[in-house]
Structure formats: structure tokens, C-alpha cells
């Protein structure tokens, strides 16, 4: 029986122990599955895990550690003894005290911060030291007998101030002092201050005398010392000696002009607004002058001082005069003139309307002058009649008649004076109105059509046309109004067309075209896309006309006119030519290449035009070094028609559009030798060449020499430009062949030198041997073998190459990366934990605040209810 009881107790204890083991929830287990099961591979340790349990453990650990640190942040509950030497047992008590005293004194003398000023710094005010400025701490003496240049003028001692001034009444004085009157005490005080002053002056004079005496003695001693040196030099005063370079530089730096703060630069919109306001004001003044309204600037405003009480008393008489003016044969009053001025101030209309008004005003002025002349004649006639009437009066009325006669004469004199002034004023106004009409308007309306734009510029000089274009840009800047951008784009279109029209006029004004380029460039910078579209449209139109003519003539075109050439020359000034492809420059180069390849040279003018196009193309490719075969071909053709031909032999290597036979194959050959001429080379002027009506004027040897010289110069420039091209020899070898066939002996010396300079680089490059084009040799790579690599002893670990140190370094690097990732992960989790804690605290604070606000509202509501109840009871009692 006892044995059975013991056995049951043991089973119960073991059962309880088994129940205490914690069971793991299978849903909290995360299994890391492997994609493939490899035979012999070691099973990883962390194939299973419980992320939920691990997360809860980490949160619990952070609450015990990190949360406590966060709550204790900024709280200190212990004192730390930081006294110097307190924890150092080697120092004695005296050494500790001395060291502490030294540290305290060091703290006082040292500068603890960059913003604290120490005693050595000297403060200044307007370049003067504050310590040298007189502080006026002591009052001045009442006596004025001392000289003004004395530094101690009127100074009183501290004892006198303490006794006689504030605070002196607190001290008890002797009977003798109290018995003295105020006058006696003041006289005594003045005498005492004068005595002290005399003593100070006497002491200063003695000090000066002693100083001069010491200086004289030092000069004698210095002369002796200097004479005893090896090389005796003349003794110079150190003050008068010449300063060294360092002192000179220091003085220059002291008086050097320092940079000062300036106003900020104004934006383009602000400058445009100011310029528009200025032009509007000038135009308003011009319109007023055209109407005869002149501001009287001679009247100056009356100055009122700051002490003026403005009590209504005026010593100056008020000037109530006004300029006499007439309208429709009637004299206007002052009120009418004021109304006219108000109307003119409000006028902002067309200049045409203003000109009509000015014409009417001039007619009125002429009528006024005629009326004044008639009035003078009538008055003169009345005066003569009055004299005859006076002779017919009775003798008894002679006295009264004489008085009337004198009055009439005085009125006549006054009237004649006023009439002369009025006539003079009217003439001056007429001159001013004429001058105002001749001025250019300061503001213009944007032209809507090209005819309007042409009419706006027609009849004006070149300078006036430039001013009109400039004012059109300023008056219609895009920042001033919404539609100004479209207006300026139209003006740009009209300006390009006007630029081309100037070139095809009877007498082209190239100077005006050159000055218009500045305005075209500025507007092109504002609207580059629209400017490119306008110029491309112009070129497309001219290229279509050229192609149509060439198709009708069997593929042989004609050289373009002056307007097309100047338009092509304008393009590199407005757009960049170094781009690989440009929407404006590339079509222009293509068009010029087409002209050079399809236009035959039938006369000397065609050859000069082709040279001009080649020169333009050089400006295009000067930066990009792009190869243009049409240029080299055309220049080689010009050399062909300049060379001497062998009889009964046809030159096969003649490039098109030139022909090996025909009447123009010797167009540039000289009729006689020009070797003796020493005239310098003169560049061709395209204006004179293209506008020449009689081609026989160009048929001269001088013109041929100029063309050959220009051809050789261009070839030399292109040779220098294309010297880096691999096919340089293939390009310029035919050119050298043509140059060797030129009659160089008949050319001037400067042209012979140019031909020699052109042949030198071609000859030097021809001697350089070139390697053949060979395919790059590469070592043949073996085919990949798929045989397995068998190791004799395999322990299941992947072996890596390298030494032991290298492997140890790689292991440490791997371990460092692993620890760094783990540390960053823990820091990230700590930050998230603190953020959640701060958010929870904020929520709790907000909840507590809302609860308190709610309680306060409830309390106030109860009070309001009680107060309303009391008020109702009072109302019932009433």
C-alpha cells in the first residue's frame, strides 16, 4: 500500500514538470526553405525561426534598457568632484592650491570665446581710439581767462567736486568755511584751480626742456658712435630717411580704395519697364511741344523754411498773369487755357492726330498774327481821327482834351508793347512746334504688315532707321504686355526681309545692313526658334528658285545674287556653326555646296562669287573642321582655268562643273607678265564685283591676279584646317598638280611666295609612309570545355586562392560588413522604438489636454446654467 502511494506521487511530480514546458505555437514558426537539396551540403543552423517571439524579446529588452535611458535623459542624481588635483594623491595640498590659483588666473587672462574682447583689443570710433577721446567726466571751470589751446582748461579736482557739488552737503564743514560767503568761496576756488593749472603748465615746460636737452646730447653721442664704425657714412635723421619697400606697401594698403556694397543689378524686365516709361514721358513732352504747350520752367517754387508758421501773411505779390492765346479768332481766358491743359494731359493718341492738331494750331497762330496787324492799323487810324477831332474842339475844353490825349497815348504804348510780346511769343512757339514735328517719335505702334514696316522706315536716314528699330524693340518688350511676344516676332520677320531688300536695291546700303545685324542678333537671342524658322523659309524660297532654274537648264544653275550671299554670311553671326547638325546652318551649307557643284564659271564675276561662297564656308567649318568636297573641287577648277594648257592635250582630271574644253578654259590666264609689279594684294570687294554692269571693266590682268591670289590663300587655309584628316594626301594631291601647272613666273612675287607655301605642307606629307589597313590581331580563344573539375580530396568547403594573410584580410572584411549591417539594423530598430514612444507620449498629452478642456467646458456650462437660473428667479420676483 505504501509503495503504491509513493509511485503515484512520483508520477504526479513528473506530470507537473512536463506541463511546465512552454509549448510553441506552430503558426509563429517560420521555415527557411531551400530551393534545391544538395547532397553532402551542411544544413544551416537557422533553418527554422520564431520572428514574433524574437521581436517581443527585443522590445522587452529595449524597454528595460533604452527606454530607461530615454526617461533619465537630462537628469543627474549624483555629484562629481571635478576640482583639479582632488583625485591625485601625488600632489600635496599646497601644490593643489597653487595649481588651482594658476588655472583661475589663466582663465581670466585667456580669451575664452571668439566673441569676447580682451583688454588688449583697442576699440575705435571713426578711426579714433575710445581711450583717447575726452570723456568729460569732470565739469569745467566757470572762468574764461585761460587760453583755449590748453588741454586742462577748466578742470576741477575731485576733492572740490565732492565738496562743492552733489554730495557735499553730507559732510560737516568747519566754522571758518561756513562763515565765508558764496562769493568768497568761489573766488578761492578759482584761485586754487588757476594755481594748479599754472603748476601743471610749468611742469610740462620743464619736461619739454629736459627732453630737448636729452635729444641734443643723444645726437652728439650718436655721431661719435657712427664715426667709430668701419665705414663712416653720413649721419641721417631716421625720421627723414627713406622708407623701405615694406613701409611703402603698408602705406599704399592703408589708403587703398576698399570695395563697397552696391545696389543689386536690375533684371531685364525692370530695365525694359524703366526704358518704356522714359520713352512714354519723352513722347508726351514732344506731343505737348507740337501743340504749342510749353512748360514754363523759369518759375521756381517758393521755399518755405521749417520755422514758417504759415499764418497767411504774404510779402510777395501773387503773379496772376498768363500767356495770351487765341482760338477761332477769340482770346482765351485763363479758365479756358487751364481746361485745354487738362485735356492735353489726358491725350494719348496717334501722332497723325497730333500733327493735324498742330497744323490747326499753326493756322490759328497765323490768323492771330494777321488779327494783331489789323488791330494795330485800326488803332493807328483811330488815333489820327482823334487828333483831327481834338483840333476841332472848342478852346474852353483844351485842358480836359489834353488830359484825355495823354491817357490815350499811354494806353497805345502799352498795347503796342503787349502786341510785340505776343508776336514774339507766337513766333517762338511756332519754331518749337516745327522742331518737335521734325523729331522722331519716341513710341511706335507695331506694324501689322511688311508694307507698314517699310512705310515706317521709308524717308528716314540710316541713323533714324536704326533708332526706329531700337525703339520698336523697347516699346514692345515681351515683359511689358501679353501680346508683345507675337509683335516682336513679326518685327523680326519683317526686319530679315527688309535686310534682304536692302541688298537688291539700286544702290545697296551695306553700312546700314551691317548695323542692322546688331538688332537682328539681339532679337535672335530672344526668339531663336522663330529666327531660325524665318531664315530657313528665306533659304528654302531661294533654293527652290535655284533648283527650278537648274532643272530648266539641264542641271546647270546660276550664281545667286547679293541678297542671298549676304543672307548666307549673316547666318554664322546669328547661330553656332560648331554643332554636328543645326536646323539652320546645315541647310545653308547644303545649299552653298549645291551652288558650287552646279554653277559653271562663265565669266570673271561668277568666279569672284564662287570665291566669296568658299570664304563663307570657311567661316562655317573653321571650328568644326568639317570636310566639304565641293569647296576643294571648285578651287581646283579655278586653278585649272588659270593654268597653262598644253596644245593638243585634254586634261581629264577636271572636276565638274568645269569642262576640259570650251571657250572659258583659259578665263584666268594672264595676257602678259605681271612679275615686275610689286603692288600688294588687295582683297576683292563683292559689292563692286556684283554691281558692275559692264563686265569688260573686270577683264583685266590685275583682277585675274587678285582672283588667283584669293584662290591660293583659301587653299592654304583649308590645307591647314584639314591637316589632321587621314585622307589629306588624296584631297590635296590634285591641288598640288594644278599649282605646279600655273604660270608662276608671270605672277608677282607675293603670289609666288603663296604658291610655294601651299606646296610645302603637301610635299612634306607625301614623303611620310603610311601603313596598310590591317585587321586587329587577337589571340584565338580556346573553346570552353565542359569536363568536371575533380578534386582528389574534397572536404565539403569551397577553397579560395591566395595566401594566408590575404584570406585573413578577406575574412575580417566580411566580418566587418556583417557587423556593420547588424549595427545599422539595430540602430534603425532603436530609432523606430523611440519614435513610437514619442508618438505615444504625444497622444497621451493630447488626450489629457482634451479631457481637461472638456472638464473646463463642463464646469463653465454648469456655472452658466446656475447663473441663468438665478437670473430667471430674479426676473420672477420683479
Amino acid at each position: 500500500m505504501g509503495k503504491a502511494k509513493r509511485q503515484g506521487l512520483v508520477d504526479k511530480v513528473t506530470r507537473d514538470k512536463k506541463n511546465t514546458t512552454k509549448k510553441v505555437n506552430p503558426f509563429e514558426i517560420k521555415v527557411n526553405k531551400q530551393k534545391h537539396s544538395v547532397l553532402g551540403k551542411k544544413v544551416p543552423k537557422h533553418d527554422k525561426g520564431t520572428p514574433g517571439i524574437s521581436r517581443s524579446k527585443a522590445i522587452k529588452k529595449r524597454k528595460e534598457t533604452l527606454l530607461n535611458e530615454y526617461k533619465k535623459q537630462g537628469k543627474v542624481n549624483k555629484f562629481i568632484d571635478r576640482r583639479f588635483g582632488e583625485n591625485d594623491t601625488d600632489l600635496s595640498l599646497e601644490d593643489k592650491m597653487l595649481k588651482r590659483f594658476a588655472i583661475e588666473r589663466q582663465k581670466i587672462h585667456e580669451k575664452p570665446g571668439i566673441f569676447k574682447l580682451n583688454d588688449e583689443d583697442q576699440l575705435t570710433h571713426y578711426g579714433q581710439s575710445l581711450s583717447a577721446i575726452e570723456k568729460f567726466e569732470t565739469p569745467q571751470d566757470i572762468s574764461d581767462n585761460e587760453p583755449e589751446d590748453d588741454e586742462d582748461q577748466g578742470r576741477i579736482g575731485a576733492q572740490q567736486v565732492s565738496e562743492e557739488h552733489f554730495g557735499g552737503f553730507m559732510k560737516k564743514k568747519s566754522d571758518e568755511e561756513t562763515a565765508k560767503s558764496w562769493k568768497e568761496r568761489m573766488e578761492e576756488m578759482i584761485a586754487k584751480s588757476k594755481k594748479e593749472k599754472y603748476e601743471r603748465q610749468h611742469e610740462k615746460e620743464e619736461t619739454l626742456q629736459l627732453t630737448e636737452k636729452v635729444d641734443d646730447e643723444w645726437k652728439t653721442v650718436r655721431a661719435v658712435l657712427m664715426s667709430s664704425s668701419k665705414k663712416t657714412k653720413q649721419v641721417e635723421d631716421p625720421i627723414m630717411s627713406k622708407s623701405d619697400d615694406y613701409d611703402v606697401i603698408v602705406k599704399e594698403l592703408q589708403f587703398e580704395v576698399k570695395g563697397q556694397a552696391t545696389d543689386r543689378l536690375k533684371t531685364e524686365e525692370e530695365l525694359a519697364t524703366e526704358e518704356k516709361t522714359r520713352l512714354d514721358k519723352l513722347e508726351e513732352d514732344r506731343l505737348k511741344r507740337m501743340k504749342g504747350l510749353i512748360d514754363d520752367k523759369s518759375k521756381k517754387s517758393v521755399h518755405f523754411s521749417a520755422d514758417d508758421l504759415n499764418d497767411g501773411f504774404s510779402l510777395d505779390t501773387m503773379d496772376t498773369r498768363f500767356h495770351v492765346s487765341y482760338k477761332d479768332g477769340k482770346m482765351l481766358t485763363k479758365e479756358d487755357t487751364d481746361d485745354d491743359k487738362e485735356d492735353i494731359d489726358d491725350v494719348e493718341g496717334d501722332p497723325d492726330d497730333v500733327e493735324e492738331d498742330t497744323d490747326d494750331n499753326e493756322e490759328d497762330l497765323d490768323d492771330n498774327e494777321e488779327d494783331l496787324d489789323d488791330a494795330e492799323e485800326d488803332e493807328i487810324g483811330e488815333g489820327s481821327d482823334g487828333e483831327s477831332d481834338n483840333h476841332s474842339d472848342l478852346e474852353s475844353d483844351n485842358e480836359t482834351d489834353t488830359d484825355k490825349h495823354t491817357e490815350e497815348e499811354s494806353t497805345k504804348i502799352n498795347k503796342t508793347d503787349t502786341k510785340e510780346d505776343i508776336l514774339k511769343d507766337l513766333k517762338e512757339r511756332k519754331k518749337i512746334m516745327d522742331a518737335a514735328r521734325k523729331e522722331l517719335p519716341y513710341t511706335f505702334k507695331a506694324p501689322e504688315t511688311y508694307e507698314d514696316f517699310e512705310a515706317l522706315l521709308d524717308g528716314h536716314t540710316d541713323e533714324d532707321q536704326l533708332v526706329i528699330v531700337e525703339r520698336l524693340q523697347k516699346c514692345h518688350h515681351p515683359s511689358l504686355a501679353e501680346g508683345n511676344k507675337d509683335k516682336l516676332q513679326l518685327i523680326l520677320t519683317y526686319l530679315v526681309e527688309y535686310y534682304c531688300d536692302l541688298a537688291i536695291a539700286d544702290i545697296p546700303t551695306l553700312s546700314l545692313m551691317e548695323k542692322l545685324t546688331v538688332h537682328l542678333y539681339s532679337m535672335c537671342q530672344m526668339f531663336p526658334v522663330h529666327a531660325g524658322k524665318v531664315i530657313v523659309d528665306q533659304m528654302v524660297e531661294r533654293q527652290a528658285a535655284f533648283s527650278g532654274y537648274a532643272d530648266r537648264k539641264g542641271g546647270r544653275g546660276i550664281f545667286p545674287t547679293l541678297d542671298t550671299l549676304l543672307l548666307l554670311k549673316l547666318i554664322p553671326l546669328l547661330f553656332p556653326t560648331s554643332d554636328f547638325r543645326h536646323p539652320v546652318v546645315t541647310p545653308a551649307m547644303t545649299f552653298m555646296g549645291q551652288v558650287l557643284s552646279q554653277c559653271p564659271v562663265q565669266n570673271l564675276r561668277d568666279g569672284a562669287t564662287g570665291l566669296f561662297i568658299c570664304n563663307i564656308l570657311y567661316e562655317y567649318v573653321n571650328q568644326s573642321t568639317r570636310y566639304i568636297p565641293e569647296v576643294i573641287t571648285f578651287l581646283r577648277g579655278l586653278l585649272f582655268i588659270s593654268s597653262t594648257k598644253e596644245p593638243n592635250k585634254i586634261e581629264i582630271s577636271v572636276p565638274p562643273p568645269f569642262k576640259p574644253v570650251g571657250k572659258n578654259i583659259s578665263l584666268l590666264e594672264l595676257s602678259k607678265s605681271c612679275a615686275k609689279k610689286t603692288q600688294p594684294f588687295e582683297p576683292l570687294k563683292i559689292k563692286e564685283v556684283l554691281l558692275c554692269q559692264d563686265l569688260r571693266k573686270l577683264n583685266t590682268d590685275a583682277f585675274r591676279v587678285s582672283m588667283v591670289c584669293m584662290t591660293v590663300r583659301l587653299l592654304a587655309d583649308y590645307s591647314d584646317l584639314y591637316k589632321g584628316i587621314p585622307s589629306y594626301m588624296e584631297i590635296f594631291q590634285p591641288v598640288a598638280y594644278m599649282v605646279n601647272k600655273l604660270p608662276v613666273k608671270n605672277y608677282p612675287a607675293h603670289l609666288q611666295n603663296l604658291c610655294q607655301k601651299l606646296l610645302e605642307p603637301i610635299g612634306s606629307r607625301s614623303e611620310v609612309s603610311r601603313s596598310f589597313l590591317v585587321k586587329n590581331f587577337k589571340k584565338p580563344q580556346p573553346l570552353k570545355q565542359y569536363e568536371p573539375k575533380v578534386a582528389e580530396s574534397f572536404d565539403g568547403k569551397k577553397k579560395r586562392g591566395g595566401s594566408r594573410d590575404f584570406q585573413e584580410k578577406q575574412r575580417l572584411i566580411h566580418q566587418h560588413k556583417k557587423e556593420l549591417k547588424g549595427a545599422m539594423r539595430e540602430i534603425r530598430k532603436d530609432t523606430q522604438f523611440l519614435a513610437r514612444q514619442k508618438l505615444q507620449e504625444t497622444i497621451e498629452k493630447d488626450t489629457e489636454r482634451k479631457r481637461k478642456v472638456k472638464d473646463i467646458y463642463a464646469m463653465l456650462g454648469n456655472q452658466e446654467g446656475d447663473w441663468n437660473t438665478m437670473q430667471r428667479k430674479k426676473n420672477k420676483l420683479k
Side-chain angles (χ1 to χ4, degrees), residues 411-501:
T411 53
K412 286 179 184 179
I413 293 170
N414 293 331
K415 285 182 180 180
T416 54
D417 294 339
T418 55
K419 288 171 185 176
E420 290 177 357
D421 295 338
I422 293 171
L423 285 173
K424 186 177 180 182
D425 188 16
L426 292 175
K427 290 179 181 179
E428 290 179 355
R429 286 174 180 271
K430 190 174 181 180
K431 290 181 182 178
I432 295 173
M433 291 167 67
D434 293 339
R437 187 184 296 102
K438 292 179 182 178
E439 290 182 10
L440 280 176
Y442 292 94
T443 56
F444 295 92
K445 282 188 176 181
E448 298 179 355
T449 60
Y450 178 70
E451 288 74 14
D452 296 341
F453 181 78
E454 196 172 9
L456 187 63
L457 299 178
D458 191 16
H460 294 284
T461 61
D462 296 350
E463 289 76 11
D464 291 345
Q465 291 184 25
L466 294 173
V467 172
I468 291 171
V469 174
E470 182 182 2
R471 289 177 182 176
L472 278 173
Q473 295 182 48
K474 292 179 179 179
C475 293
H476 302 91
H477 195 272
S479 62
L480 299 176
E482 186 175 355
N484 284 354
K485 183 178 179 180
D486 299 334
K487 293 179 181 179
L488 269 186
Q489 289 178 354
L490 276 177
I491 292 172
L492 175 59
T493 305
Y494 301 152
L495 193 59
V496 172
E497 190 172 354
Y498 185 71
Y499 178 86
C500 297
D501 289 346

Side-chain angles (χ1 to χ4, degrees), residues 51-63:
I53 296 173
S54 301
R55 190 181 299 110
S56 62
K57 288 182 180 179
I59 292 173
K60 183 178 179 181
K61 188 176 180 181
R62 287 189 178 89
K63 286 182 179 179

Side-chain angles (χ1 to χ4, degrees), residues 705-763:
V705 170
S706 298
M707 288 188 62
V708 174
C709 190
M710 189 67 188
T711 304
V712 175
R713 275 179 178 259
L714 284 173
L715 283 171
D717 293 339
Y718 279 104
S719 174
D720 188 33
L721 186 66
Y722 295 149
K723 62 183 178 182
I725 297 178
S727 58
Y728 176 83
M729 286 304 304
E730 284 73 14
I731 295 172
F732 287 95
Q733 193 68 37
V735 173
Y737 173 74
M738 287 295 178
V739 173
N740 290 326
K741 297 187 69 175
L742 290 175
V744 181
K745 296 181 180 179
N746 297 333
Y747 293 152
H750 66 276
L751 184 52
Q752 295 179 12
N753 295 332
L754 287 176
C755 295
Q756 188 65 28
K757 290 180 181 178
L758 176 59
L759 292 174
E760 286 177 0
I762 300 175

Side-chain angles (χ1 to χ4, degrees), residues 794-801 807:
F794 180 71
D795 55 356
K797 296 181 180 180
K798 186 177 181 180
K799 296 182 179 179
R800 300 180 182 274
Q807 292 181 358

